[in-house]
């Protein structure tokens, strides 16, 4: 219910995270980075800036900093609809609770909530694109239908340069694809590792020519997913999450 209040008619289900392990990892990242978190009561206009002080996995609790005034803290304690919002690695993250409690943290007053059962990790193309691995490149197979005479049908395999919740960028080294803006390619297959390939319709949104150091000219196409099925979007989001976890692990020396 809280999700619907926050987003109205917008469908955010493809962006919901249900994995407890992943939710805890995101909360701990907020804690470790001292991330500022906006806290809002009953969807009101007043937002309070707080932070995650601790994540108690065994106890199932998240300790957060108090609001600056006793009045705001009382409103938080009495509310059954408190929302939290932050931005982590350029991705908007939201979660909700129907109960806030009081506690002590390092001998100082603090607040706590239960570890949320789900949160929204709102990652869209305009917000964030993730580069795909160079060592193990992803491939996209694009079907070129026959022309009006019934001849010329073929498939072209291109390499993904990056991926997002809204589409992909592909490298067309031989410039075989029609790069007309608005051109739609149907039933394109993206071979995501660790699962079944996903099949999507792609619409060309932009096209750029690049010259490599060798002097070779290549083309990069930015393509948008056209009405992707929900399972497809879920698979894409899982893969993006996997890429980010691996990148963060390398950045912290754990990968």
């Amino acid at each position: 219910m809280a999700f619907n209040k926050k987003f109205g008619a917008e469908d955010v289900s493809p962006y919901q995270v249900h994995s407890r392990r992943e939710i805890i990892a995101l909360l701990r990242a907020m804690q470790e980075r001292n991330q500022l978190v906006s806290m809002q009561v009953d969807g009101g206009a007043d937002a309070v800036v707080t932070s995650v002080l601790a994540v108690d996995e065994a106890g199932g609790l998240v300790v957060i900093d108090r609001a600056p005034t006793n009045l705001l803290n009382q409103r938080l304690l009495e509310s059954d609809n408190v929302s939290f919002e932050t931005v982590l690695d350029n991705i908007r993250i939201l979660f909700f609770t129907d109960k806030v409690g009081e506690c002590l943290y390092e001998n100082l007053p603090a607040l706590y909530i239960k570890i949320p059962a789900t949160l929204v990790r709102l990652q869209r193309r305009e917000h964030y694109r993730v580069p795909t691995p160079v060592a193990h490149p992803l491939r996209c197979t694009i079907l070129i239908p026959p022309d009006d005479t019934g001849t010329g049908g073929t498939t072209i395999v291109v390499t993904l340069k990056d991926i997002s919740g809204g589409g992909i960028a592909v490298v067309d080294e031989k410039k075989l694809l029609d790069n007309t803006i608005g051109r739609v390619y149907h039933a394109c297959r993206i071979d995501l590792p660790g699962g079944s390939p996903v099949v999507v319709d792609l619409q060309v949104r932009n096209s750029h020519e690049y010259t490599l150091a060798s002097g070779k000219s290549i083309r990069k196409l930015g393509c948008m997913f056209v009405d992707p099925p929900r399972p497809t979007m879920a698979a894409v989001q899982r893969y993006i999450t996997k890429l980010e976890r691996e990148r963060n692990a390398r950045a912290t020396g754990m990968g």
Side-chain angles (χ1 to χ4, degrees), residues 5-163:
K5 287 181 180 179
K6 188 76 175 179
F7 296 98
E10 182 180 359
D11 181 15
V12 296
S13 55
Y15 305 97
Q16 287 193 42
V17 177
H18 298 275
S19 165
R20 180 178 174 86
R21 178 180 298 179
E22 187 173 342
I23 290 170
I24 290 172
L26 289 168
L27 291 168
R28 284 185 171 153
M30 296 177 206
Q31 173 195 350
E32 292 164 1
R33 302 181 195 183
N34 297 316
Q35 194 78 26
L36 296 180
V37 180
S38 175
M39 179 168 56
Q40 201 171 51
V41 182
D42 297 325
D46 295 330
V48 179
V49 175
T50 186
S51 59
V52 176
L53 301 177
V55 180
D56 179 2
E57 182 176 358
L61 302 175
V62 183
V63 181
I64 56 176
D65 205 1
R66 285 170 59 88
T69 68
N70 289 332
L71 178 61
L72 282 172
N73 284 306
Q74 191 59 39
R75 288 178 59 198
L76 287 163
L77 294 169
E78 293 174 352
S79 175
D80 63 356
N81 179 24
V82 179
S83 63
F84 300 84
E85 180 174 344
T86 190
V87 175
L88 193 66
D89 292 331
N90 296 320
I91 300 172
R92 186 180 173 202
I93 295 177
L94 302 99
F95 53 99
F96 303 83
T97 186
D98 58 4
K99 182 173 179 56
V100 176
E102 291 183 294
C103 65
L104 288 176
Y105 178 73
E106 296 183 345
N107 296 320
L108 293 174
L111 303 173
Y112 72 87
I113 64 173
K114 290 182 179 179
I115 292 175
T118 182
L119 56 75
V120 172
R121 191 172 178 279
L122 199 58
Q123 178 172 293
R124 293 198 176 96
R125 181 175 178 81
E126 63 266 30
H127 291 148
Y128 200 60
R129 286 179 288 177
V130 182
T132 53
V134 176
H136 303 284
L138 267 66
R139 310 293 185 189
C140 178
T141 302
I142 299 176
L143 174 65
I144 308 299
D147 58 24
D148 293 338
T149 66
T151 61
T154 186
T155 57
I156 296 173
V157 179
V158 292
T159 301
L160 271 69
K161 182 175 177 61
D162 59 52
I163 187 169

